[in-house]
Structures are given as C-alpha cells and as structure tokens.
Amino acid sequence: MANQDDNLLKKIISHAKEYGFIFPSSEIYDGLAAAYDYGQNGVELKNNIKSFWWKAMVQMNENIVGIDASIFMHPTTWKASGHVDAFNDPLIDNKDSKKRYRADVLVEEYIAKIEGKIDKEVDKAAKRFGDSFDKDQYLATNPRVMGYAEEIASINKRMKEAIEQENLAEVKKLIEDLGIVDPVSGSKNWTDVRQFNLMFSTELGSVADGASKIYLRPETAQGIFVNFLNVQKSGRMKIPFGIAQIGKAFRNEIIARQFIFRMREFEQMEMQFFVKPGDEMEWYEHWKNKRIQWHKTLGLGEDNYRFHDHLNLAHYANAACDIEFNFPMGFKELEGIHSRTDFDLKAHEEHSGKKLQFFDPQENKSYVPYVVETSIGLDRMFLAVMTSAYKEEVLEDGSERTLLKLPAALAPTKVAVFPLVKKDGLPEKAHEIIDLLKLDFSCQYDEKDAVGKRYRRQDAVGTPYCVTVDHQTLEDNTVTIRDRDTMQQERIDITQLHSRVADLVSLSRLLKQL
Ligand code: GAP
C-alpha cells in the first residue's frame, strides 16, 4: 500500500533537523529554497550509503572502476549530450497567483487524483469481499474503475503526443479541458506553456566580455562518457566494463519541493556499463536484478520497492525503467536504469572529432560500445532510508520512544558508550573502551542525564548498540550491550566487544548477500 502521509514527511523533516541530520541551507538568512545542508549525523549516514554503493559497484566487480570528474566541463559536452537543446521542462504560470508550475506535473497530479479514486474503490471492495477479493479481476471488470483507467489512458496519450510533437498549445489546451485549477488561487487563468532549460549556467573567466558560458553539470554521466577512452586505455579495460562515479549535479528545478526529494543541487551515484552492441538487453536485465538486490539487502522492506517501465522512451534509449520507492508522498522514482544505446559516445565523437571506440580482439573490429546506465540519487536514497527507519513506539510501560531503525551498517554512530555515573573511575573506563573501538567504528561518549534518557537520544539517531560501564565492570571487566531494536541488554566481556560489534555492523555482512 502506497504511503500518502504528509504528516510522516513533516515528522521526518523536523526529526532530521532536531537530531543533526539535515538543516535548511543558510537558515540564519531564512534559508534558500530546495537547498539543504547535511549535519553531523546526516553526513555520516550519507557517507555510509555512498560507501555501500561504491563497494557494491566498484570493489565487488572486477570489471568496474571509479572516477571523479570535474563539475565544470567543456560547454560542447552539453551540446553533444542534447542538454542545451532538449533538457527542458514545460512551464505554465497562473496569472492570478503569479505562481509557476510544470505543466506536465499539473497533469500528473490530476491523474494521481483519479488513481486515488481507483484505490478508494479497491479498498471498499476489498472490505466488502474479504478473503475472496481478487484485485486484478476487480480492476479488469468493475465498470467505474475501468472508466477511471480509460480516462487516465486517454490523458496520458494526449500528453505524450503533445510533448513528442512539441505542441505546447495542445498541452495548455489539455490543462484547460481537464479544468485544472491553480492549487493556490483556485483560478483557471493560465498563461501559455513554454519551455525552460534546467541547466544552471555561469561564465568562465574573470572578465564577462571574454568569458565563455559554461554549465554546472546536470548529470554526472557525461563526465564518464568523455573519459571513456582514458579509462579504457589506462586501465586496459575489456568490454564489457563499467565506470562508476559519485558526485554533485545541478538542475534549476521549477518545483523543487518535498524536502530532499527534488533539489536544485543534489548528488548522483551513476554507473555506465559499456557493452557490445546487441548484448545490451541482456545487461539491462542483469543490472535491473543487481540493483534491486542491492536495495533489498538493506532491508528497508521489500514491499516498498517496485519497478516502473518507461513507456515514453527518450529518443536515445531502447529500454528504461525506474526503481520506485514508497516515500511518504507515495511511490516515486528513486533510481533509473537505462539502456542508452551508443547515443552519447557517438554524439561526443561527432562533436569532438575524436574516435570513442573499442577494438574488440575477438571480433577483430572496432565499434562504439552500447551503454547500460544505473543512476540513483543519493539524497533520494537518504530519504528512502529515513522513511523506512523512522518509527514511533509505545513501550510496555506506556512511555513512548522515537527511533531510527537504520540498517546497522549505515548508522552514523555504531556504538555509544556510557559510564553509569560520572565518578568512581567509570568515565575513564568508558574512554578506554572507546579507544578500543574507535579505530574501526564511529563511537560516541555520553555521560549526561540518566541512562534511560541517554538510550532515547541514541535511539533517535539510530545508534544500534549502547554499551554501559558500571561498577561491576571494574571488578570483572564486563559491560552491558543494549540492542536498539529489541532494547535487550546482555552482559559481555570487554575483550569480546570489538568482534561482537564488528559482526553486527559491518558492511561486508551486507556485501556478502549481493
Ligand atoms: N544520467 C541519467 C540521469 O541523470 P535522471 O532520471 O534524470 O537520469 C537519475 O536522474 C536520478 O537522479 C533520479 O532517479 C533521482 O534519484 C536523482 N535526481 C534527479 N533529479 C533530482 C533532483 N532534482 N533532486 C534530487 N535527486 C534527483
């Protein structure tokens, strides 16, 4: 069942701020729309997600290597990639509210309302029929639901044709025909629809006159394409092989909202896999399976993922799908897997005049490889992890706790160490334990307040294990270790602590399951 919980998103936003995960950017100046800063816990969680992705893609695959290309690239890159001419959103303004919207999103939201009606009908029928309810049969036979589905199909068809033919007047007409009103003013007083390029531009050089216009990259992928031959030759890579990269990307999104879901500055984790032409569909299926396995290994809930095949393929793709996650706003794109043919390398060959080909010794010929790409937004992955981890629990004694049930390997702090009291040599012993663990694990020392309160603070930031040093520790060298999720405590010898924690929080435990 899809989340549709504005409240959950609000709770995550305020929890993320209160506990040092994410702050609004430049907040002392009232913030900057759709820009966020990762705080002391956020940066650790983000780095751990990066590390899991990097190890799964680069370290675990002999034929994948990583790069870190610069954000600024030669401006012709973006001409070749099609971003200068075609990386546009269709925009429409409401004349009364003066608010600007993406025309396609207005239509999508209209469709989402119809989908909501279908969901309601299904829920009602499921209650009415109980165990004998067959959802697929109901969807295929109920006249009202079928009517809604037909309405959706006809809107999608009109929109697809209008966009493909770049018929912006028809997009406006569709909005008018559907009677879509501005959510702010309630008015239907719309401007014409026009295209708006999403790339941020700036000038290279100090004097504006002699400067040339360059762009902040809107995707990291192009840094990989232009380095294809550098990496292939210097690494003596043989097809099939992949190049992976994690880095910032920038898009001047008109509706940047829903927290870190849609930002103007964000991070991508992308991998381009270069294959022999004709083999691309096999590799496309391979990477679909590999990527969904990566997600499922994290244990965020298998039902929270689904594939969404692209029906409207970009002109350069011969297959594409999204991995969608059940965010608080419902199922939305988290990752894209695209079979991009030889479009990008060929376009860079044409614009640069340089050959970007691979000599295949088995075939005894050179060719431009085809590319299968996996592209995931790091910030969206962060939101997915927070969405699944955020829990409010009522305990047996009636008290409440808010916790982040983060996968242990991703948690910002792995072990918190508490002296029961601030005297009798217990703080010194607690610091000794931290010294024992901190080479391998991020640890936190906390001696303030009662132990119960300290547990709650660590629950709220997702620390999987809390170790308490008490007077018995001084006698027999044992401590209690408390599990975040079960809240069970166990007494163990300090000498066992390192291996116990390592076993529980290590990334390799996850990597082994891939
Ligand atoms: N190289 C392919 C590419 O960039 P995309 O579908 O435009 O494809 C890939 O973007 C991923 O980047 C998306 O699935 C999403 O997770 C993330 N992403 C895209 N735009 C974003 C934005 N404005 N804010 C946050 N993440 C974004």
Side-chain angles (χ1 to χ4, degrees):
M1 178 66 96
N3 278 319
Q4 268 300 345
D5 190 349
D6 283 350
N7 234 357
L8 175 59
L9 186 61
K10 282 190 194 131
K11 284 178 184 171
I12 291 171
I13 295 171
S14 88
H15 191 87
K17 183 168 176 225
E18 185 178 349
Y19 288 97
F21 284 87
I22 299 178
F23 308 122
S25 158
S26 34
E27 197 189 7
I28 57 167
Y29 295 105
D30 293 334
L32 179 71
Y36 292 93
D37 297 339
Y38 285 81
Q40 67 278 21
N41 286 316
V43 70
E44 297 288 346
L45 172 53
K46 201 176 177 196
N47 283 341
N48 292 338
I49 297 173
K50 280 191 211 182
S51 182
F52 181 44
W53 184 86
W54 191 265
K55 285 181 187 220
M57 300 303 269
V58 179
Q59 194 171 309
M60 299 286 286
N61 289 288
E62 282 173 26
N63 59 353
I64 299 184
V65 292
I67 63 164
D68 182 18
S70 70
I71 287 171
F72 291 143
M73 300 180 71
H74 192 285
T76 310
T77 308
W78 306 110
K79 191 79 195 145
S81 67
H83 285 83
V84 171
D85 296 323
F87 195 49
N88 298 320
D89 274 347
L91 296 189
I92 190 165
D93 290 21
N94 184 274
K95 292 182 194 164
D96 296 320
S97 69
K98 311 271 183 271
K99 292 264 175 209
R100 180 163 290 174
Y101 299 94
R102 261 175 63 181
D104 55 331
V105 172
L106 284 179
V107 174
E108 267 173 27
E109 284 172 354
Y110 184 89
I111 290 174
K113 280 192 192 138
I114 309 177
E115 285 170 343
K117 287 183 192 170
I118 296 179
D119 285 346
K120 268 200 188 136
E121 295 289 337
V122 169
D123 285 349
K124 269 198 287 182
K127 277 198 193 116
R128 209 167 51 238
F129 294 111
D131 287 346
S132 63
F133 181 60
D134 180 337
K135 187 176 168 190
D136 291 337
Q137 192 192 354
Y138 181 77
L139 290 174
T141 53
N142 180 276
R144 190 173 306 159
V145 167
M146 285 161 70
Y148 287 142
E150 271 166 31
E151 195 183 345
I152 293 174
S154 124
I155 298 170
N156 272 331
K157 184 165 175 282
R158 258 182 91 179
M159 188 67 186
K160 180 175 182 253
E161 282 170 6
I163 294 285
E164 274 173 7
Q165 292 159 10
E166 294 180 29
N167 186 349
L168 298 181
E170 170 63 7
V171 177
K172 180 179 180 187
K173 185 143 191 317
L174 178 60
I175 288 173
E176 286 173 340
D177 290 351
L178 296 175
I180 294 178
V181 296
D182 175 359
V184 175
S185 65
S187 116
K188 296 181 189 169
N189 196 4
W190 297 109
T191 62
D192 288 342
V193 178
R194 66 207 180 289
Q195 292 289 15
F196 175 85
N197 193 285
L198 292 179
M199 282 195 295
F200 283 102
S201 65
T202 186
E203 264 138 25
L204 191 71
S206 54
V207 189
D209 271 356
S212 68
K213 188 171 174 184
I214 57 165
Y215 298 97
L216 297 186
R217 65 182 179 197
E219 63 171 10
T220 57
Q222 298 303 325
I224 292 178
F225 288 125
V226 299
N227 277 299
F228 160 73
L229 216 52
N230 283 336
V231 174
Q232 190 273 318
K233 286 200 177 312
S234 59
R236 300 189 313 281
M237 309 298 292
K238 299 222 171 7
I239 295 267
F241 75 92
I243 306 179
Q245 176 170 218
I246 299 177
K248 290 266 185 179
F250 303 83
R251 295 181 189 179
N252 199 358
E253 301 278 3
I254 286 310
I255 5 176
R257 56 173 190 199
Q258 292 168 329
F259 194 35
I260 53 172
F261 181 80
R262 195 177 300 285
M263 300 154 91
R264 298 202 170 96
E265 173 185 341
F266 57 98
E267 253 176 291
Q268 289 185 317
M269 305 192 286
E270 297 199 295
M271 193 277 298
Q272 317 295 132
F273 201 71
F274 300 91
V275 305
K276 195 162 97 183
D279 287 356
E280 71 275 12
M281 291 319 288
E282 195 185 309
W283 285 108
Y284 173 70
E285 289 304 325
H286 171 89
W287 283 110
K288 269 178 77 174
N289 290 334
K290 280 280 177 197
R291 292 305 303 146
I292 197 72
Q293 208 181 333
W294 181 87
H295 286 284
K296 291 188 173 168
T297 300
L298 279 173
L300 306 187
E302 302 219 347
D303 292 347
N304 284 326
Y305 292 94
R306 71 181 187 196
F307 278 110
H308 169 77
D309 288 324
H310 288 203
L311 300 176
N312 308 337
L313 289 175
H315 58 285
Y316 52 78
N318 59 3
C321 68
D322 298 332
I323 295 177
E324 294 186 335
F325 186 79
N326 191 9
F327 289 102
M329 314 76 80
F331 276 97
K332 302 255 179 215
E333 175 184 344
L334 167 61
E335 170 159 6
I337 297 155
H338 313 126
S339 172
R340 291 179 74 129
T341 65
D342 55 1
F343 172 84
D344 301 86
L345 288 180
K346 271 214 166 123
H348 287 303
E349 276 198 330
E350 278 159 26
H351 283 79
S352 67
K354 311 263 165 38
K355 273 202 178 321
L356 296 175
Q357 302 193 357
F358 171 76
F359 177 75
D360 190 328
Q362 276 163 351
E363 304 270 321
N364 197 26
K365 66 172 188 194
S366 296
Y367 53 77
V368 179
Y370 270 38
V371 171
V372 175
E373 141 183 284
T374 72
S375 173
I376 175 169
L378 176 54
D379 311 86
R380 282 194 194 173
M381 189 60 207
F382 190 108
L383 184 57
V385 171
M386 290 293 270
T387 304
S388 118
Y390 182 89
K391 305 275 178 240
E392 292 169 354
E393 285 182 357
V394 179
L395 306 179
E396 274 174 12
D397 64 1
S399 64
E400 288 173 19
R401 69 167 184 160
T402 302
L403 76 157
L404 292 182
K405 273 195 179 179
L406 297 169
L410 299 188
T413 300
K414 304 292 190 252
V415 194
V417 185
F418 311 150
L420 187 62
V421 289
K422 279 189 260 180
K423 55 182 186 181
D424 305 337
L426 300 190
E428 291 75 8
K429 192 72 187 168
H431 278 117
E432 269 176 36
I433 290 173
I434 288 190
D435 288 343
L436 193 77
L437 299 176
K438 73 180 181 195
L439 282 177
D440 296 304
F441 315 109
S442 51
C443 302
Q444 239 185 49
Y445 174 82
D446 191 0
E447 59 173 28
K448 201 168 169 287
D449 301 318
V451 170
K453 263 196 171 173
R454 290 182 245 170
Y455 282 150
R456 290 292 170 278
R457 277 201 289 273
Q458 296 301 329
D459 288 345
V461 296
T463 305
Y465 302 103
C466 292
V467 167
T468 302
V469 175
D470 53 20
H471 291 95
Q472 190 181 331
T473 310
L474 302 180
E475 288 163 21
D476 63 6
N477 211 38
T478 61
V479 284
T480 61
I481 180 164
R482 178 233 191 216
D483 180 286
R484 174 196 68 202
D485 300 344
T486 62
M487 295 187 292
Q488 295 296 318
Q489 293 179 33
E490 195 188 333
R491 209 156 184 110
I492 65 169
D493 202 279
I494 291 177
T495 52
Q496 293 169 6
L497 209 48
H498 188 285
S499 63
R500 173 68 75 91
V501 173
D503 189 40
L504 297 167
V505 307
S506 76
L507 263 184
S508 23
R509 200 166 176 226
L510 296 182
L511 292 168
K512 268 187 217 150
Q513 296 170 46
L514 290 174

